[in-house]
Amino acid sequence: MTNRQFSSAPVTLLVAGAPAPEPCLPAGRPPGPLDAGAVRAALAGAAPRPRRTPERPARAPEFVLVELHRRYPPEALRAALRSVLADDPAGPAADLLWQRTVDGPDGLDRVLVELGRSLAGGPRLRAVLVEEARDATGDGGRHDSGSGAPDGGRRLFVGVAQGPLARAAGVLEELREALAHPPEPVTVPTSALQRELLRQVIGESEPGGRHVEQLSWNWHGPLDTERFTAAWQSVFDHETVLRAAFDWDEHGPDDPWMVLHEHAVPEVTRHRHGAAEWEDLLAADRRRGFDLRRPALLRATLVDAPPDAGEGPATRVLLTYHHAMLDGWSVRLLLQSFYRAYLTGGVLAGGQRRPDLRDHARWLSGQSTDAARQFWSTRPPATAVLPLAPDPRRRGSGRARRRLTPYEAVRLRGWAAAWGAGESSALQAAWALLLYRAEQTDRPRRPARAVRVGFAVTVSGRGIPLDGVERLPGALRNPLPISVRVQPGTTVPQLLAALRDGVLDLAAYEWVSPGQAHRWTPGARGQRPNSLVVLEHQPAAAHHLRLETDLAAHGIHVESPAPAGTLTSYPITLAAHYDATGGLVLTTTHDRALLADRDAAELLDQSAHLLRSFPDLPSGLGTTEVLRSTLAGQPAPRLGEPAAGAAEGTEPAAPAVRLDVLRRAAHPGAGWVLLLPPPDAPHTRYPGAARDWPGPQALGVLRPAGDDPPPAAYRPVLGPLLESRAPVALVAPPGLGATACGIARLGSPAHPPLVVLLDGDGDLTAVAGLLGGLPRRR
């Protein structure tokens, strides 16, 4: 090795000594730079060590430690180190390159001591990239130690061990050659779905966290941050997808591609209790997004619980990731691996997972699109989607959440199963009914007609014939368009069956992107579904119970992770997931520029109301009657129309009058009995009497939000009922007769509602007898 050969990477010889028990570090700072010839001369001049005698114990294998004075990217360093050790009998280690932050000369010495010790019994080559800590003033924190550190305080030290000292010069020469001629990066083509997601986020002028997903849960028990980080590092080392990033040509016609890196470092941040509000932290972390050109498109944030928590130490854990690289199914798979690594001290046994994203890309490249084109060419396009009216004055995204109790969720699941469907079909049926209702509302005073409504549903993307795909982490979850024909007489069970069959038809084409499906659908004319319905898919956790038991042995209990809601490319997304108690949580995320907060909240409320009502509906009830009996008094959202005088981003104003349904009609067309409570009546006055209501009519209470509202305030609630053919009766106590008559005038003069005035002793049984003799309205 000559000076010319090593001139591109001058070195400083630090020490040639034994790595144990203490390396022979220089007392002062290292000498000035020495070239490779000087290093070789120093190594060659090292005297041989005496053989072991009883009086003098043997010294550990000697090593040499040098500093390289040239900037190299960490990925290039790791690749070069692995290349040099490719033929090593022990094989390359996972942590050949360390990255450390030090504070002052003593901190640097401690790191070099650690590096020297690591060479005993380890690989014959290891490096550490040291960065000096920044001080409180934020000026870079460089201490005036005369170190002359290159690259703004970053310094690279390389240790060589194993074998004669003279061999170290040859190892350094191999390292120089590897650094001078780095290998070409491994690239993988992106899928059609990934390309469509990337086109939506690359070049965004305002990063808003689109396609950034979050999972959070509570960790009860001790949490060692160093062990937590080491466990994720081990998962990163085993999972190709966590070391992948995207790259693209800003001005070229080529599609983006994935780059597989040799190494990636997980980002783990811990906050003490009170450092940030949880919701603010969620929003800030979402807006921060990711640099898609760098690997590790997943990061973790830890937030400590109050120190005086009654159940011992607890930590809130947040995982944030990008959907162009990972989906919820994948992150749950990775989480299982992380728990196993944490239980074993931060080290995950085994090699890299296969299949991985390379195998999936290879499978995709072998698929012919002929059958998929034929399938989508026979799919009828939707004629009605969620109507929107863009308003550029509204900015940002909105989120809202509602919850079905565990009892309500069990009832819904059992009811859907009785009709041969799942809760996902029930969720889709509720959304289809709302789209049908919105379309009919846009055609006031016209007869109801059949409509083919359309929206998007998610498929797991793992229903493909690829061995091991259910254990493959990647961006496989896929939104695909679906449409269903809804007629006035369509029953909910018929709607369930149609949606179930439609999703089953998609199973063979889960790998087709939504853009491809749209292009292949005839007559779409640019009419894309603008709403997405998601039931979170989760992998089968065969070893979950064992993991829980093992964690419990360490005093740790972890809850089931819950998604926070993701802003997708659709104007509104309705997502459902089960929480730790078995409740079904509904979350909407929407783009405020396309949908007002008030309208999104109404759609969410009505979705939850329909899901609660489905198990109680008569099976033969048609769509029109279902909507009248369940959503009467709840106005259809005037989509895209901002509330007058309301500031966007605030909660929608409460309605002036609310209709509380106490008992549903015994059969379609039975009509309504609406009670006007006295101003001082408690909310518990009528629900008890409703249990003894003998009539077939639906029974409800009109509850004003304020004192003595005018009759016009009842119009939004009563409009759908007064326009129907079913009889309506208003029952008023003493003192509210004039109000009841004023409300009755809101109806059609040809079919006005009946007004029943109660005396002080009147009861609902007498009202039922009176209404029983009335003819049905025609």
Side-chain angles (χ1 to χ4, degrees):
M1 181 171 60
T2 65
N3 294 354
R4 181 184 59 79
Q5 290 174 313
F6 219 94
S7 61
S8 61
V11 298
T12 297
L13 176 66
L14 296 183
V15 63
E22 289 291 340
C24 181
L25 291 175
R29 303 316 306 154
L34 300 177
D35 58 28
V39 173
R40 182 168 186 147
L43 296 176
R49 301 296 179 185
R51 299 180 63 183
R52 183 173 58 180
T53 63
E55 293 76 17
R56 173 175 289 183
R59 294 174 61 88
E62 296 180 341
F63 73 99
V64 65
L65 185 63
V66 301
E67 179 178 5
L68 298 187
H69 296 287
R70 187 177 178 186
R71 177 176 179 174
Y72 295 104
E75 285 305 314
L77 287 169
R78 287 191 176 89
L81 292 167
R82 288 183 180 274
S83 175
V84 172
L85 291 182
D87 299 329
D88 192 281
D95 56 347
L96 291 175
L97 178 68
W98 298 349
Q99 291 182 260
R100 299 288 191 267
T101 301
V102 301
D103 189 2
D106 293 342
L108 176 61
D109 287 348
R110 286 193 297 270
V111 170
L112 297 180
V113 168
E114 181 186 9
L115 179 63
R117 285 174 173 167
S118 72
L119 294 170
R124 59 191 177 98
L125 184 64
R126 180 169 271 151
V128 59
L129 190 62
V130 174
E131 183 170 2
E132 297 185 14
R134 294 179 178 271
D135 58 18
T137 62
D139 62 357
R142 293 188 59 186
H143 299 272
D144 188 13
S145 60
S147 63
D151 193 18
R154 297 179 67 184
R155 307 175 66 181
L156 175 65
F157 300 92
V158 178
V160 184
Q162 295 186 1
L165 288 178
R167 171 61 178 155
V171 174
L172 290 173
E173 170 64 10
E174 294 177 33
L175 180 61
R176 187 202 69 81
E177 288 290 340
L179 288 170
H181 303 91
E184 291 293 326
V186 178
T187 60
V188 177
T190 51
S191 66
L193 172 63
Q194 288 177 309
R195 292 192 291 271
E196 291 173 15
L197 294 177
L198 291 172
R199 279 195 292 268
Q200 295 160 12
V201 297
I202 291 177
E204 279 186 321
S205 58
E206 298 181 7
R210 193 177 298 276
H211 298 304
V212 173
E213 301 197 8
Q214 295 170 306
L215 283 179
S216 64
W217 68 97
N218 289 323
W219 176 301
H220 301 277
L223 193 157
D224 186 325
T225 307
E226 184 175 351
R227 187 174 182 177
F228 186 96
T229 305
W232 272 117
Q233 181 64 71
S234 184
V235 176
F236 272 55
D237 293 337
H238 283 73
E239 301 289 353
T240 308
V241 69
L242 293 178
R243 304 192 307 276
F246 296 103
D247 203 357
W248 57 88
D249 186 349
E250 296 284 358
H251 307 289
D254 295 337
D255 291 325
W257 59 89
M258 286 183 285
V259 181
L260 307 188
H261 295 260
E262 285 286 331
H263 188 77
V265 178
E267 178 183 339
V268 178
T269 306
R270 189 161 192 168
H271 299 278
R272 66 181 185 278
H273 173 67
E277 291 293 333
W278 177 252
E279 292 299 328
D280 294 340
L281 187 148
L282 278 179
D285 188 62
R286 193 164 47 238
R287 287 193 302 268
R288 174 187 167 192
F290 288 92
D291 181 355
L292 298 178
R293 294 183 186 267
R294 302 184 64 181
L297 299 183
L298 178 147
R299 59 175 174 262
T301 303
L302 308 175
V303 180
D304 293 332
D308 57 349
E311 299 182 358
T315 309
R316 197 79 177 267
V317 184
L318 173 67
L319 288 184
T320 305
Y321 56 98
H322 202 283
H323 189 217
M325 190 65 76
L326 293 164
D327 55 22
W329 180 297
S330 303
V331 175
R332 287 175 171 86
L333 286 176
L334 299 174
L335 195 54
Q336 294 176 23
S337 298
F338 160 77
Y339 285 140
R340 290 196 296 271
Y342 190 89
L343 288 169
T344 54
V347 179
L348 189 63
Q352 295 192 28
R353 183 199 300 270
R354 297 304 290 264
D356 64 2
L357 51 82
R358 291 168 291 186
D359 302 292
H360 183 251
R362 191 177 302 111
W363 183 88
L364 284 177
S365 65
Q367 302 310 301
S368 171
T369 60
D370 294 343
R373 286 175 181 268
Q374 177 64 26
F375 172 79
W376 290 107
S377 66
T378 61
R379 311 303 292 176
T383 58
V385 296
L386 189 66
L388 301 171
D391 187 346
R393 295 173 297 177
R394 300 192 300 255
R395 305 177 69 86
S397 61
R399 283 168 174 77
R401 179 163 288 185
R402 302 291 183 269
R403 180 177 181 269
L404 272 63
T405 65
Y407 171 72
E408 293 169 335
V410 168
R411 289 188 72 224
L412 177 67
R413 188 163 59 248
W415 167 81
W419 293 106
E423 58 268 51
S424 60
S425 298
L427 186 68
Q428 295 158 14
W431 196 252
L433 288 173
L434 293 179
L435 298 187
Y436 175 81
R437 184 172 185 242
E439 198 277 342
Q440 298 298 324
T441 304
D442 286 344
R443 305 170 62 253
R445 301 189 182 280
R446 295 184 183 180
R449 62 186 179 95
V451 176
R452 180 168 287 278
V453 299
F455 51 96
V457 298
T458 55
V459 293
S460 69
R462 290 169 170 82
I464 59 175
L466 174 63
D467 289 342
V469 69
E470 69 280 355
R471 303 291 300 171
L472 189 156
L476 276 69
R477 193 187 79 178
N478 195 9
L480 291 176
I482 191 172
S483 65
V484 62
R485 182 178 173 84
V486 183
Q487 302 183 73
T490 301
T491 65
V492 175
Q494 290 172 338
L495 192 56
L496 279 178
L499 288 164
R500 176 203 60 202
D501 294 344
V503 173
L504 289 175
D505 289 342
L506 301 178
Y509 306 102
E510 292 189 357
W511 52 274
V512 172
S513 73
Q516 290 173 322
H518 175 74
R519 290 194 301 271
W520 298 338
T521 302
R525 300 186 304 277
Q527 179 83 315
R528 288 176 179 265
N530 52 15
S531 57
L532 173 64
V533 179
V534 180
L535 180 65
E536 293 292 339
H537 301 93
Q538 297 193 31
H543 305 293
H544 183 67
L545 182 60
R546 181 176 177 180
L547 282 173
E548 284 188 344
T549 304
D550 293 342
L551 288 168
H554 290 74
I556 299 170
H557 168 67
V558 291
E559 298 179 359
S560 177
T566 306
L567 180 62
T568 67
S569 57
Y570 295 86
I572 184 169
T573 298
L574 172 65
H577 74 274
Y578 285 98
D579 62 16
T581 65
L584 186 63
V585 181
L586 306 179
T587 305
T588 56
T589 55
H590 66 279
D591 188 338
R592 287 185 173 134
L594 301 173
L595 192 68
D597 286 348
R598 179 200 59 185
D599 298 324
E602 288 178 349
L603 287 167
L604 178 60
D605 287 336
Q606 293 172 20
S607 298
H609 186 66
L610 283 171
L611 293 175
R612 294 187 182 104
S613 303
F614 279 163
D616 295 324
L617 291 175
S619 59
L621 209 61
T623 298
T624 303
E625 291 299 331
V626 167
L627 293 172
R628 285 176 178 170
S629 62
T630 57
L631 299 182
Q634 301 187 39
R638 306 302 301 173
L639 299 176
E641 180 182 309
E648 193 57 48
T650 61
E651 289 293 323
V657 178
R658 187 179 77 248
L659 172 61
D660 288 347
V661 180
L662 305 180
R663 185 163 179 172
R664 305 195 181 281
H667 55 79
W672 286 83
V673 174
L674 304 176
L675 308 175
L676 295 175
D680 57 347
H683 279 62
T684 57
R685 174 170 179 173
Y686 290 111
R691 289 194 296 268
D692 301 324
W693 170 246
Q697 300 88 353
L699 187 66
V701 181
L702 294 170
R703 298 191 187 278
D707 295 332
D708 196 20
Y714 291 80
R715 185 184 298 278
V717 175
L718 295 181
L721 301 183
L722 298 178
E723 292 175 3
S724 70
R725 294 292 180 178
V728 178
L730 298 171
V731 180
L736 291 180
T739 300
C741 291
I743 295 172
R745 294 190 183 96
L746 299 175
S748 170
H751 302 286
L754 178 69
V755 176
V756 180
L757 301 179
L758 296 176
D759 57 24
D761 298 325
D763 58 30
L764 297 182
T765 303
V767 173
L770 174 64
L771 298 179
L774 295 179
R776 181 173 178 176
R777 293 167 63 183
R778 300 289 181 184

